[in-house]
Amino acid sequence: MKSLWIFKKTYNQAFPITKLSSDLHSSAQRVTTQIDRVASQLPVFRRQLHQHPELSGEEFETTAYLAKQLAAAKISFRLGAGKRGIVTDIVPGSEKNAPVIALRADIDALPITETNTVAYRSKNIGVMHACGHDVHSAILLGATLALHRSSPLPVAWRSIFQPAEETGCGASEMVAQGAVKGVDAILAFHVDPNLPVGCVSITPGPQSAFCQDFVIEVRGKGGHGARPHTTIDPIAVAAQLVTLIYSAVPRQTDARDPVVVTIGMIQGGQAPNIIPDAVVLKGTIRSFDQTVSDHARQTIERLCAGTARSFRSKISPVFDRLLRGGVNNPTVTENCLKAARNLLGENRVKTGRRPSMGAEDFADYPLRACMMLLGVKSPGKKITPLHTSTFDIDEKALLVGVRLFTRILQEWPGS
């Protein structure tokens, strides 16, 4: 308990938050009081989730843990299909016809074995919260508890704990289950290990790429490695195909339109002296424009057909659903920027960030949206990249996230 008190004291000394403006509603002080009440629990939430990560589609214990905390606080919610994910009931605002704002966090982890030596390292071998979803979930849980205890707010709100972000299907699942019915806008954080703790980055416009995964099976005719002339070597065919894709896609796309095709996996063969019957390639197409993505896909399909004819092989490309590129709505983003500047100060709020070629299924929510980047880098420490076995955060960022989520709702225009 003493360590949690030290966490809160250290945070407040390092990041003094600007006072609420006098024109905010009376709910403001109630929210502040409740945030102070929940502050010491935030590292507990985060570490529990970090120690027990679950892959996309398997978020049962994670959902159960979050549900237990919500139930204990008497917060009304419903579980997602298959007991994965949570959607809280909409909490009405104090104002008539108040806008409904959803707050979203993703809850799944990655197939990575953690190599950190911290006491709260993952207990599930081969699975790790290497993308910060434990952080997102802890922040949303803390914000949900504080907002619920402070109700009513001038705006209406709900929380969405979403599964399966890493596989790109969780957001569409939640939409199909009615998670955004009656909602006017949606907000989310993503941790940024390049940004110092206490800072945020909020930028209007494109944020993430259109992304489409694909699998290509190259089927030939196996045989002895000493007699390749009696075979149709699928490894040779696959090597030629990869070279063609990497050469043709950028040369057949307008240089002013960014596009990246990456082959991230090649599987085939069992022994050095055996030519296999088949090889499988897996990769992604990423761009900021659907037309460019479609053109890249068509180019790959054409290259597959031509290479198959040239080598007398069979090449079968299969493309997954196209994941939409994320765009921050200008009006919603401006609301977030204003609240962040009022809360943290002008110098801690960055904007104008260039969009990332990374993908995020947050784009599948059919609403005015804003995803904000939350700084988690400790001062003087080496940057720990996302999606690596050594990823970790400065936990002072947890309270920053809770305070910003709640402040945005308090200052929402018209509230």
Side-chain angles (χ1 to χ4, degrees):
M1 183 62 70
K2 183 178 180 181
S3 64
L4 297 178
W5 176 82
I6 292 173
F7 163 80
K8 181 179 174 183
K9 181 180 179 182
T10 303
Y11 170 89
N12 289 331
Q13 290 174 343
F15 307 110
I17 302 300
T18 57
K19 292 183 179 180
L20 294 166
S21 57
S22 58
D23 60 341
L24 290 179
H25 290 76
S26 60
S27 64
Q29 188 55 52
R30 298 199 304 273
V31 174
T32 301
T33 299
Q34 295 304 326
I35 291 175
D36 289 343
R37 179 181 171 187
V38 78
S40 63
Q41 296 177 271
L42 298 175
V44 178
F45 296 154
R46 185 254 167 165
R47 294 182 182 196
Q48 170 66 25
L49 294 167
H50 191 89
Q51 286 184 297
H52 304 280
E54 296 175 296
L55 296 175
S56 301
E58 301 174 7
E59 308 94 333
F60 307 110
E61 290 186 14
T62 302
T63 298
Y65 174 75
L66 295 168
K68 182 179 179 181
Q69 308 308 312
L70 296 173
K74 296 181 170 31
I75 296 174
S76 298
F77 64 89
R78 57 185 171 85
L79 298 179
K83 296 184 179 181
R84 296 167 44 251
I86 297 172
V87 180
T88 68
D89 291 352
I90 292 175
V91 179
S94 59
E95 304 294 327
K96 185 177 181 181
N97 299 321
V100 181
I101 314 301
L103 307 177
R104 172 266 202 178
D106 33 18
I107 67 174
D108 54 331
L110 287 162
I112 294 175
T113 298
E114 182 167 12
T115 59
N116 290 318
T117 57
V118 293
Y120 52 85
R121 66 181 293 174
S122 171
K123 292 183 178 181
N124 295 343
I125 303 301
V127 186
M128 177 189 174
H129 273 297
C131 198
H133 295 187
D134 55 333
V135 181
H136 305 162
S137 298
I139 288 172
L140 182 54
L141 179 57
T144 302
L145 294 173
L147 290 169
H148 174 74
R149 295 164 181 166
S150 309
S151 295
L153 296 177
V155 297
W157 62 278
R158 85 165 0 147
S159 296
I160 300 172
F161 296 89
Q162 178 208 304
E165 187 279 327
E166 294 294 350
T167 54
C169 60
S172 58
E173 289 177 7
M174 300 305 272
V175 171
Q177 295 169 38
V180 295
K181 184 177 181 180
V183 175
D184 298 297
I186 189 166
L187 311 176
F189 284 121
H190 202 296
V191 297
D192 186 345
N194 298 292
L195 197 62
V197 67
C199 296
V200 294
S201 178
I202 307 173
T203 302
Q207 297 300 300
S208 60
F210 285 82
C211 179
Q212 189 165 33
D213 292 347
F214 60 83
V215 178
I216 301 174
E217 183 186 56
V218 179
R219 185 159 290 280
K221 178 183 176 183
H224 200 293
R227 293 179 285 277
H229 61 285
T230 65
T231 73
I232 298 175
D233 187 347
I235 292 180
V237 177
Q240 180 68 22
L241 180 59
V242 171
T243 300
L244 286 172
I245 290 172
Y246 280 2
S247 300
V249 172
R251 300 300 292 178
Q252 297 183 18
T253 303
D254 191 320
R256 295 168 294 183
D257 296 323
V259 61
V260 174
V261 177
T262 296
I263 307 296
M265 190 178 79
I266 301 177
Q267 292 179 325
Q270 296 178 333
N273 62 342
I274 300 174
I275 294 173
D277 288 316
V279 169
V280 174
L281 312 177
K282 293 185 179 181
T284 66
I285 302 169
R286 296 167 187 264
S287 77
F288 295 131
D289 185 278
Q290 183 171 346
T291 301
V292 175
S293 292
D294 291 342
H295 176 72
R297 171 180 172 164
Q298 292 162 5
T299 300
I300 292 173
E301 289 174 330
R302 186 172 64 254
L303 293 172
C304 287
T307 304
R309 285 194 299 271
S310 297
F311 285 87
R312 297 180 294 113
S313 61
K314 181 179 180 181
I315 302 179
S316 305
V318 177
F319 293 83
D320 288 349
R321 180 181 68 91
L322 179 68
L323 189 65
R324 296 174 57 246
V327 178
N328 279 352
N329 176 271
T331 302
V332 174
T333 303
E334 184 58 35
N335 296 345
C336 297
L337 275 169
K338 181 179 178 181
R341 287 166 177 154
N342 289 339
L343 177 71
L344 302 172
E346 190 82 27
N347 63 329
R348 290 182 183 165
V349 181
K350 316 299 180 183
T351 192
R353 171 186 174 271
R354 298 179 69 183
S356 168
M357 275 293 184
E360 236 294 350
D361 77 348
F362 187 63
D364 280 340
Y365 289 103
L367 298 168
R368 296 184 304 152
C370 180
M371 174 165 280
M372 301 167 281
L373 300 182
L374 181 69
V376 295
K377 181 179 181 293
S378 294
K381 288 193 176 181
K382 183 180 179 181
I383 293 174
T384 308
L386 296 170
H387 287 224
T388 65
S389 64
T390 57
F391 176 74
D392 204 354
I393 69 152
D394 187 324
E395 289 184 330
K396 296 184 188 72
L398 297 167
L399 197 50
V400 176
V402 172
R403 283 181 162 154
L404 184 50
F405 257 162
T406 57
R407 187 65 171 263
I408 292 169
L409 296 195
Q410 291 174 67
E411 294 193 11
W412 199 267
S415 61

